[in-house]
C-alpha cells in the first residue's frame, strides 16, 4: 500500500498517569491535576520545555499507580495553559503532539520520569491510502449523523484534511469508545494500519447505532398504534351508542361476573359503580389499573361459595383419634362444637385458642379439625407481625396497596367457611405502624365479624361462618381484650407413656416413610423409644423426639444402601447409642447428697416444666441480702417475703431473734443466663434460708413449689402438670404442693398419681418438717446469727421462666 521508513528518536520526559481518558496527537484536552506526584511532574515540565508524557492507567481506581499499572504507549503533550485553583489542584489544558512508547520508567523526587521512543513513520501517499482516507471520512460522517451526542457541523469541519496521520488521530479522539479500544488505536504507529482499524471500528459502531435507532422507531410506532387504537375504540363505542346496539366486551364479562358472584347489595352497587368508572377511563392510565385490580379482588373473594360440611360426630371422632393420641378434653370440645352445629341451623363461628408448650400438636389439631369437618384449611402465621395493615390491608390511595392477610387467605381458601388457623398469636408485636392485636379484636368477635371491613376492599365482609383456631405458647403476652374473645383450651405436656404411644403410632411410621425405609428394614423396640425419651430429649412435646427418631432412620437408611435392601436393624435400649451417640441427659437430676441450703424447686416455662435449684450461703457480715441468678421483680419480692417470715419465726425455728445482725446471706438460683420470675418459688427459698441458718441439710429426693406469705401460709400455683412431669423426668418422686392445688390432681394422668408421693401443705412449718432431714433445734447456737431483709438489686430479663 505504502513505502514506509521508520525514524526512531528517544528522549526523557516527566510522565503523568491519567485516568478515564486517552489523549491522541492533535487533541486539545482540559483536565484537573490533584495527585502530589502528578503535580510534581507537571511543575517539572513547566520549568523546562513544557513537554510532558501522558499515559493512561489500566485501573482508574488506583490512587498511587506503579509503572506496571500504566500503559506503555501514550502521548507527548504540550502544556498550553495551567491555572492553580483555590483547593490546591491545578487545571491544565494540553495539546497532543505525537504518540510515544515508554521503554523505561523511573521515580525521581516523587514523580515519574519516562524514557520514550517516538518512532515517527514516514511513507509515500498511494491511491490505496487516498481511497482508505475517503472511505473512513465517509463512514465517520455517517457515524456523526447517527451519534446524537456529537455536533455534526463542528466535527465534520475538523476532519476535512489530507494528512492520514492527523485524520486518523482526530477521528479516533472523537469516537465514543471505551478506554481499552481507544488505547488499542493509540498503540498503532502506522497511519495506514490505524486508518484500516478505524474503518473496521466505524462499521461496527454504525451497525449498533442503526439497531438502536430501529428499536426506538419501533417503540414509537407501537405507542402511536396504541393511541390510534384507543381513538378508534372510542369512536366505535360512540357509533354503537348512536345505533343503539350493544357489544360483547370485557366490561360485559366483568359485569356478568359481578352479578353472579353473590355479593350483598351494598357490595354489588359499589362494584357496578367501580366498573362504570373503569369503562370511562383510558385503558393506559394508572387509575384504570388500580380500579381493575380492585374489581378483580372483589370477584376473587368468596361471597357465597362454601364447603359442604361433614357433621358426623362418629367420623370426626375417628379422624381426631387417627391423627392425635390423648388430648381427650380438646377432642371432646371439638365434638361438642360439631354436635351444636347439627342442632343449630346457622350457629355463630367459634374462636378456639390452643395454648401449650411447643411440640404438643396445636397446629396439627387445626388441620385435623378441618379434615374432620370437611372444610378448607388455611394458616396465617402471626409471629413477628407488627403492622396493623397486615391484618386490615392498605387503603387504595397507596401505590401497590393490597388487602390484608385475612382477606388474602379467604381468597386462597375459596370458600366462606374454612378453618382459619391463626398461628403463634402470642408473638405479635406493635410499633408506630399500629397494633395488629387490636385489629384482630374485630376479626375474632362473633358479634362484630359479620361486618369485617378491610381497608382495601372498604366493604363489609362476613367472617361469622369461619371457624377460627388460634395457637399460643403463653397467654400473658396476649392482650386481655383479645383473650376474652377466645375460648382457651390448654394443652399440657405429654407423660412418658403418652410419648411412647405417640412415637409407636405416629412418629416412627412418619419418619420411616420420609427416609424410604420399610418395616423390613427397621424395627423400634419400646425400650429403644423409652431410651430416646429419657436420655436424648427433655421437652414437654414430641418435636425433638421425632427429630431423634428421624436421625436414627437416616443412619439406618445409609446402612441399607450400603449392605443391600434386605438389611434390617433391630433397635433396642442396648444399641440405640450406636446411632445417637452418648446420652445427653442423666437419668436423674437429683443431687448426689443432701446439703445445707440446697433445695430443689419446680418451675414452669414456655417449653414446659423444669427443675430449678435454689442455693443459700451464710457469710460473715452486717445483715445484707444478696440475690443473684437474673431473678425478676416478683421472684425477688418472694425472697424478701421468705426472709421476713424466717425473721418473724426465728424463735419457733430455733434461731436467735438477733441472728441477722452479724451475717450476710447470698441467695442464688443457678443458670444465671436465663431470666426467671414468678411467686411460686417462695417456699423453696424459705426452706433454703431456714436450712442454711439452722445448718440442717434438705432432703435431696424432695422437690417443692408454692407461694409464701409473711405469715407462712402456702398459696396455690399454676402449671401443676408441667411441673410434676418435670419432676418425673428428673427422677424426683416426692413433691410438696400447696393444699389449694389438691383439687387439680383429679385431672392428672393416673401414671403420675401412682408414680409420685404428693404432700399437700397449708403452712410453711409443714414444709420444713417434710423437707429438712432433722427437726429444727430449740436452742440457737451463737454462730447461727444471721441477716436482715435488705432490698436486692433489680435484675430483669426477657422471656422469664415463671415459677
Amino acid at each position: 500500500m505504502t513505502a514506509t521508513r521508520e525514524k526512531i528518536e528517544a528522549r526523557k520526559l516527566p510522565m503523568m498517569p491519567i485516568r478515564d481518558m486517552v489523549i491522541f496527537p492533535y487533541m486539545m484536552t482540559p483536565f484537573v491535576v490533584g495527585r502530589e506526584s502528578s503535580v510534581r511532574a507537571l511543575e517539572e515540565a513547566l520549568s523546562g520545555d513544557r513537554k510532558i508524557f501522558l499515559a493512561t492507567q489500566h485501573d482508574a481506581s488506583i490512587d498511587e499507580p506503579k509503572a506496571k499499572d500504566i500503559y506503555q504507549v501514550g502521548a507527548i503533550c504540550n502544556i498550553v495553559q495551567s491555572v492553580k485553583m483555590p483547593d490546591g489542584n491545578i487545571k491544565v489544558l494540553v495539546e497532543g503532539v505525537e504518540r510515544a512508547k515508554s521503554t523505561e520508567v523511573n521515580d525521581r523526587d516523587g514523580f515519574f520520569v519516562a524514557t520514550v521512543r517516538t518512532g515517527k513513520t514516514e511513507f509515500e501517499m498511494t491511491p490505496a491510502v487516498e481511497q482508505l482516507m475517503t472511505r473512513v471520512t465517509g463512514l465517520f460522517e455517517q457515524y456523526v449523523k447517527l451519534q446524537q451526542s456529537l455536533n455534526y457541523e463542528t466535527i465534520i469541519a475538523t476532519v476535512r484534511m489530507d494528512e492520514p496521520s492527523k485524520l486518523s488521530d482526530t477521528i479516533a479522539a472523537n469516537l465514543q469508545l471505551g478506554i481499552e479500544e481507544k488505547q488499542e488505536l493509540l498503540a498503532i504507529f502506522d497511519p495506514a494500519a490505524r486508518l484500516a482499524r478505524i474503518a473496521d471500528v466505524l462499521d461496527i459502531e454504525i451497525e449498533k447505532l442503526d439497531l438502536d435507532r430501529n428499536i426506538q422507531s419501533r417503540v414509537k410506532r407501537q405507542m402511536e398504534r396504541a393511541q390510534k387504537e384507543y381513538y378508534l375504540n372510542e369512536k366505535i363505542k360512540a357509533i354503537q351508542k348512536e345505533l343503539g346496539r350493544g357489544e360483547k366486551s370485557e366490561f360485559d364479562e366483568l359485569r356478568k361476573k359481578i352479578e353472579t358472584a353473590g355479593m350483598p347489595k351494598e357490595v354489588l352497587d359499589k362494584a357496578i359503580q367501580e366498573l362504570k368508572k373503569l369503562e370511562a377511563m383510558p385503558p393506559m392510565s394508572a387509575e384504570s389499573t388500580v380500579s381493575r385490580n380492585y374489581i378483580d379482588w372483589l370477584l376473587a373473594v368468596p361471597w357465597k361459595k362454601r364447603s359442604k360440611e361433614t357433621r358426623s360426630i362418629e367420623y370426626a371422632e375417628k379422624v381426631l383419634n387417627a391423627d392425635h393420641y390423648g388430648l381427650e378434653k380438646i377432642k371432646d370440645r371439638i365434638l361438642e362444637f360439631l354436635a351444636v352445629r347439627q342442632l343449630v341451623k346457622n350457629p355463630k363461628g367459634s374462636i378456639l385458642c390452643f395454648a401449650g408448650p411447643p411440640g404438643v400438636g396445636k397446629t396439627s389439631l387445626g388441620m385435623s379439625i378441618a379434615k374432620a369437618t370437611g372444610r378448607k384449611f388455611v394458616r396465617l402465621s402471626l409471629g413477628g407481625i407488627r403492622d396493623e395493615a397486615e391484618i386490615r390491608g392498605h387503603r387504595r390511595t397507596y401505590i401497590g396497596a393490597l388487602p390484608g392477610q385475612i382477606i388474602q387467605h379467604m381468597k386462597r381458601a375459596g370458600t366462606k367457611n374454612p378453618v382459619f388457623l391463626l398461628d403463634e398469636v402470642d408473638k405479635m408485636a406493635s410499633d408506630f405502624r399500629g397494633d395488629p392485636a387490636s385489629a384482630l379484636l374485630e376479626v375474632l368477635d362473633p358479634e362484630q365479624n359479620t361486618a369485617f371491613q378491610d381497608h382495601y376492599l372498604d366493604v363489609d365482609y362476613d367472617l361469622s361462618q369461619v371457624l377460627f383456631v388460634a395457637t399460643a405458647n403463653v397467654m400473658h403476652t396476649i392482650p386481655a381484650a383479645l383473650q376474652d374473645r377466645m375460648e382457651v383450651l390448654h394443652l399440657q405436656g405429654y407423660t412418658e407413656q403418652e410419648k411412647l404411644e405417640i412415637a409407636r403410632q405416629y412418629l416412627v411410621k412418619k419418619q420411616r416413610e420420609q427416609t424410604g425405609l420399610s418395616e423390613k428394614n427397621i424395627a423400634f423396640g419400646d425400650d429403644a423409644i423409652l431410651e430416646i425419651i429419657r436420655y436424648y430429649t427433655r421437652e414437654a412435646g414430641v418435636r425433638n423426639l421425632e427429630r431423634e427418631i428421624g436421625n436414627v432412620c437416616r443412619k439406618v437408611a445409609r446402612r441399607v444402601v450400603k449392605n443391600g435392601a434386605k438389611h434390617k436393624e433391630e433397635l433396642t435400649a442396648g444399641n440405640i447409642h450406636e446411632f445417637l451417640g452418648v446420652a445427653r441427659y442423666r437419668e436423674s437430676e437429683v443431687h448426689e447428697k443432701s446439703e445445707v441450703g440446697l433445695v430443689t424447686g419446680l418451675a414452669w416455662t414456655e417449653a414446659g416444666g423444669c427443675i430449678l435449684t435454689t442455693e443459700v450461703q451464710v457469710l460473715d457480715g452486717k445483715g445484707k441480702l444478696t440475690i443473684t441468678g437474673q431473678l425478676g421483680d416478683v421472684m425477688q419480692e418472694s425472697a424478701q417475703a421468705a426472709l421476713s417470715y424466717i425473721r418473724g419465726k426465728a424463735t419457733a425455728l430455733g434461731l436467735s431473734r438477733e441472728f441477722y445482725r452479724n451475717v450476710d446471706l447470698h441467695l442464688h438460683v443457678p443458670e444465671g443466663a436465663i431470666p426467671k420470675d414468678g411467686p411460686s418459688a417462695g417456699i423453696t427459698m424459705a426452706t433454703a434460708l431456714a436450712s442454711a441458718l439452722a445448718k440442717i441439710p434438705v432432703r435431696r429426693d424432695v422437690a417443692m413449689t408454692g407461694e409464701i406469705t409473711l405469715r407462712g401460709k402456702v398459696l396455690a400455683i399454676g402449671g401443676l402438670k408441667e411441673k410434676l412431669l418435670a419432676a418425673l423426668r428428673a427422677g424426683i418422686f416426692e413433691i410438696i404442693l400447696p393444699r389449694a392445688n389438691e383439687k387439680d390432681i383429679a385431672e392428672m394422668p393416673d401414671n403420675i398419681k401412682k408414680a409420685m408421693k404428693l404432700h399437700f401443705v397449708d403452712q410453711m412449718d409443714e414444709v420444713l418438717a417434710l423437707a429438712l432431714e432433722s427437726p429444727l433445734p430449740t436452742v440457737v447456737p451463737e454462730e447461727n446469727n444471721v441477716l436482715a431483709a435488705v432490698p436486692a438489686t433489680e435484675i430483669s430479663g426477657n422471656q422469664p421462666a415463671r415459677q
Side-chain angles (χ1 to χ4, degrees):
M1 180 185 291
T2 59
T4 62
R5 188 167 62 251
E6 189 174 12
K7 182 180 178 183
I8 298 175
E9 295 181 1
R11 58 190 297 190
K12 288 189 175 182
L13 290 173
M15 187 180 91
M16 182 194 304
I18 56 176
R19 297 190 271 200
D20 296 323
M21 62 188 301
V22 176
I23 297 179
F24 288 83
Y26 316 106
M27 176 181 173
M28 294 277 283
T29 306
F31 59 92
V32 176
V33 179
R35 290 185 288 198
E36 186 178 350
S37 59
S38 299
V39 171
R40 290 186 179 180
L42 184 66
E43 291 172 349
E44 176 69 15
L46 290 172
S47 65
D49 60 356
R50 303 178 73 87
K51 294 288 191 297
I52 190 168
F53 178 66
L54 301 181
T56 306
Q57 293 181 203
H58 290 287
D59 185 355
S61 64
I62 300 176
D63 288 326
E64 298 295 335
K66 307 296 182 184
K68 62 182 177 60
D69 300 321
I70 307 169
Y71 285 105
Q72 284 186 296
V73 179
I76 298 174
C77 297
N78 185 40
I79 302 173
V80 178
Q81 187 178 5
S82 67
V83 178
K84 193 157 188 176
M85 301 171 71
D87 60 359
N89 295 334
I90 301 176
K91 188 173 184 179
V92 297
L93 177 66
V94 299
E95 180 182 14
V97 177
E98 60 184 325
R99 60 177 38 78
K101 182 176 182 180
S102 62
T103 58
E104 185 179 0
V105 178
N106 297 311
D107 192 341
R108 188 177 73 189
D109 298 330
F111 64 93
F112 291 120
V113 174
T115 302
V116 299
R117 297 169 59 188
T118 57
K120 293 182 179 179
T121 305
E122 299 177 357
F123 61 92
E124 296 176 2
M125 184 70 69
T126 65
V129 174
E130 291 178 354
Q131 185 179 359
L132 183 58
M133 290 176 63
T134 303
R135 179 168 177 264
V136 169
T137 303
L139 287 172
F140 186 67
E141 289 182 3
Q142 188 178 351
Y143 173 82
V144 173
K145 287 179 182 178
L146 295 171
Q147 183 62 261
Q148 298 178 355
S149 61
L150 298 176
N151 186 293
Y152 179 80
E153 301 295 336
T154 305
I155 297 297
I156 295 304
T158 61
V159 298
R160 298 190 184 281
M161 54 191 69
D162 298 324
E163 186 180 344
S165 179
K166 189 172 183 180
L167 175 66
S168 62
D169 286 334
T170 304
I171 290 177
N174 287 285
L175 291 176
Q176 305 293 312
L177 301 175
I179 296 298
E180 293 182 1
E181 293 172 286
K182 284 195 172 185
Q183 185 65 36
E184 179 188 355
L185 293 174
L186 181 66
I188 303 174
F189 282 73
D190 183 11
R194 194 157 61 245
L195 281 172
R197 177 61 185 148
I198 288 174
D200 294 338
V201 170
L202 284 171
D203 280 332
I204 295 171
E205 293 300 312
I206 289 169
E207 187 175 350
K208 290 180 182 178
L209 292 171
D210 275 333
L211 182 61
D212 287 342
R213 188 173 66 172
N214 290 337
I215 292 172
Q216 290 178 358
S217 176
R218 193 179 303 120
V219 171
K220 185 177 179 181
R221 285 198 302 271
Q222 288 175 350
M223 292 179 64
E224 290 173 351
R225 189 183 305 118
Q227 292 173 346
K228 181 180 178 181
E229 287 175 356
Y230 173 72
Y231 172 74
L232 292 175
N233 283 330
E234 291 300 312
K235 287 197 74 173
I236 289 172
K237 287 180 183 178
I239 293 170
Q240 294 286 355
K241 188 174 181 180
E242 287 296 323
L243 294 174
R245 298 176 185 173
E247 67 167 326
K248 286 280 183 183
S249 67
E250 183 181 7
F251 296 118
D252 293 327
E253 292 178 9
L254 283 175
R255 185 181 299 274
K256 185 177 180 181
K257 288 180 180 178
I258 290 171
E259 291 171 351
T260 58
M263 300 176 183
K265 186 177 185 307
E266 179 189 348
V267 182
L268 179 64
D269 293 343
K270 185 158 188 173
I272 295 295
Q273 181 184 0
E274 195 71 28
L275 182 61
K276 290 178 180 178
K277 286 169 59 179
L278 179 63
E279 289 177 331
M281 292 178 187
M284 304 298 292
S285 68
E287 289 83 358
S288 68
T289 303
V290 172
S291 189
R292 177 57 192 265
N293 287 341
Y294 176 71
I295 293 173
D296 287 343
W297 269 106
L298 284 177
L299 292 172
V301 174
W303 294 99
K304 65 177 182 179
K305 184 179 179 182
R306 49 182 292 139
S307 300
K308 186 178 180 181
E309 194 171 333
T310 304
R311 298 191 178 185
S312 170
I313 294 181
E314 293 78 11
Y315 174 74
E317 187 172 8
K318 182 179 178 182
V319 170
L320 291 173
N321 288 331
D323 290 347
H324 294 85
Y325 179 83
L327 305 176
E328 299 304 329
K329 278 193 173 182
I330 308 299
K331 293 176 183 177
D332 288 344
R333 177 61 187 89
I334 295 169
L335 296 174
E336 290 166 8
F337 163 77
L338 295 177
V340 170
R341 295 194 70 82
Q342 287 193 17
L343 299 175
V344 180
K345 186 175 181 181
N346 290 313
K348 292 183 178 179
S350 299
I351 292 90
L352 302 177
C353 178
F354 299 144
V360 295
K362 300 183 296 296
T363 304
S364 59
L365 261 176
M367 299 173 67
S368 295
I369 292 173
K371 185 178 176 182
T373 57
R375 298 181 178 213
K376 292 291 184 68
F377 175 78
V378 286
R379 172 181 171 272
L380 170 60
S381 179
L382 297 173
I385 286 183
R386 56 180 66 245
D387 188 355
E388 180 247 359
E390 290 282 348
I391 305 298
R392 289 184 173 275
H394 292 89
R395 300 193 185 279
R396 283 192 290 155
T397 52
Y398 294 100
I399 296 174
L402 285 172
Q405 292 293 331
I406 299 295
I407 294 298
Q408 289 190 39
H409 280 71
M410 290 302 296
K411 173 193 172 186
R412 190 176 303 168
T415 61
K416 62 184 296 184
N417 65 335
V419 173
F420 201 126
L421 182 71
L422 300 170
D423 214 2
E424 311 292 358
V425 74
D426 58 324
K427 294 177 179 59
M428 288 185 293
S430 61
D431 60 10
F432 63 93
R433 290 169 291 189
D435 183 4
S438 299
L440 277 180
L441 294 177
E442 180 185 2
V443 175
L444 299 181
D445 191 340
E447 301 297 329
Q448 299 180 42
N449 63 12
T450 54
F452 171 69
Q453 275 223 351
D454 183 271
H455 288 160
Y456 181 85
L457 295 184
D458 199 27
V459 293
D460 291 346
Y461 187 79
D462 185 6
L463 294 173
S464 63
Q465 296 186 45
V466 178
L467 173 54
F468 285 102
V469 178
T471 71
N473 293 131
V474 295
M475 297 302 296
H476 64 268
T477 58
I478 304 175
L482 188 56
Q483 289 189 41
D484 186 56
R485 283 162 170 77
M486 301 185 294
E487 180 180 348
V488 181
L489 302 176
H490 290 279
L491 280 75
Q492 298 168 330
Y494 294 117
T495 64
E496 187 177 275
Q497 187 61 34
E498 287 173 334
K499 290 182 181 181
L500 174 62
E501 291 298 328
I502 291 170
R504 285 167 54 185
Q505 297 182 29
Y506 308 100
L507 304 184
V508 171
K509 180 181 177 183
K510 178 181 176 183
Q511 290 301 318
R512 195 170 57 214
E513 291 174 353
Q514 289 184 358
T515 52
L517 299 173
S518 68
E519 294 181 4
K520 296 179 180 179
N521 300 126
I522 186 170
F524 277 89
D526 288 355
D527 58 339
I529 298 174
L530 287 172
E531 193 80 4
I532 297 174
I533 295 170
R534 291 168 181 168
Y535 301 110
Y536 294 92
T537 63
R538 276 286 190 273
E539 58 178 342
V542 292
R543 193 165 287 155
N544 285 327
L545 175 59
E546 181 179 5
R547 195 172 291 124
E548 295 300 334
I549 292 173
N551 190 10
V552 173
C553 289
R554 288 191 298 274
K555 288 179 170 57
V556 172
R558 181 179 176 184
R559 296 189 180 186
V560 170
V561 171
K562 184 177 180 180
N563 300 327
K566 294 183 178 180
H567 180 78
K568 183 174 183 178
E569 290 286 348
E570 297 278 353
L571 299 171
T572 64
N575 65 3
I576 196 70
H577 67 277
E578 296 177 15
F579 299 89
L580 296 179
V582 178
R584 299 188 183 93
Y585 303 98
R586 293 180 299 161
E587 182 177 4
S588 172
E589 295 180 13
V590 180
H591 311 304
E592 293 183 0
K593 62 178 182 177
S594 300
E595 297 183 36
V596 172
L598 183 63
V599 185
T600 302
L602 300 175
W604 178 92
T605 69
E606 296 180 14
C610 68
I611 296 296
L612 211 58
T613 302
T614 301
E615 303 173 333
V616 171
Q617 187 72 37
V618 181
L619 308 166
D620 292 337
K622 296 182 179 179
K624 180 182 178 183
L625 172 61
T626 303
I627 303 174
T628 57
Q630 203 171 167
L631 310 186
D633 292 342
V634 176
M635 203 165 175
Q636 291 190 44
E637 289 171 1
S638 293
Q640 298 286 349
L643 180 58
S644 295
Y645 164 76
I646 297 294
R647 289 182 59 186
K649 300 282 288 185
T651 304
L653 297 174
L655 300 174
S656 166
R657 296 187 64 84
E658 304 295 326
F659 72 89
Y660 57 86
R661 294 188 179 276
N662 301 317
V663 294
D664 287 345
L665 287 181
H666 187 164
L667 188 150
H668 177 67
V669 181
E671 298 186 38
I674 302 174
K676 310 167 190 75
D677 205 357
S680 64
I683 65 171
T684 309
M685 291 188 283
T687 303
L689 288 168
S691 169
L693 291 167
K695 299 191 181 301
I696 300 175
V698 180
R699 291 174 56 191
R700 68 186 187 91
D701 58 343
V702 172
M704 61 187 70
T705 178
E707 182 178 354
I708 189 175
T709 69
L710 290 175
R711 287 169 174 77
K713 288 187 66 67
V714 180
L715 304 182
I717 47 87
L720 181 59
K721 182 180 178 183
E722 286 83 359
K723 292 179 179 180
L724 292 180
L725 286 173
L728 201 60
R729 287 195 297 267
I732 300 175
F733 303 100
E734 191 167 349
I735 313 294
I736 300 174
L737 300 171
R739 190 171 300 281
N741 287 108
E742 190 171 4
K743 64 182 185 303
D744 301 325
I745 295 300
E747 299 179 0
M748 295 293 121
D750 291 337
N751 61 333
I752 291 182
K753 291 186 280 189
K754 291 178 181 177
M756 310 198 81
K757 184 177 181 181
L758 306 178
H759 300 281
F760 296 98
V761 297
D762 291 312
Q763 293 290 333
M764 188 63 208
D765 295 344
E766 301 173 65
V767 175
L768 295 177
L770 290 166
L772 298 181
E773 285 201 335
S774 59
L776 289 165
T778 55
V779 181
V780 185
E782 198 62 36
E783 63 269 23
N784 279 350
N785 294 352
V786 194
L787 101 146
V790 178
T793 55
E794 276 194 27
I795 305 174
S796 61
N798 297 323
Q799 301 177 350
R802 301 188 69 84
Q803 296 299 307

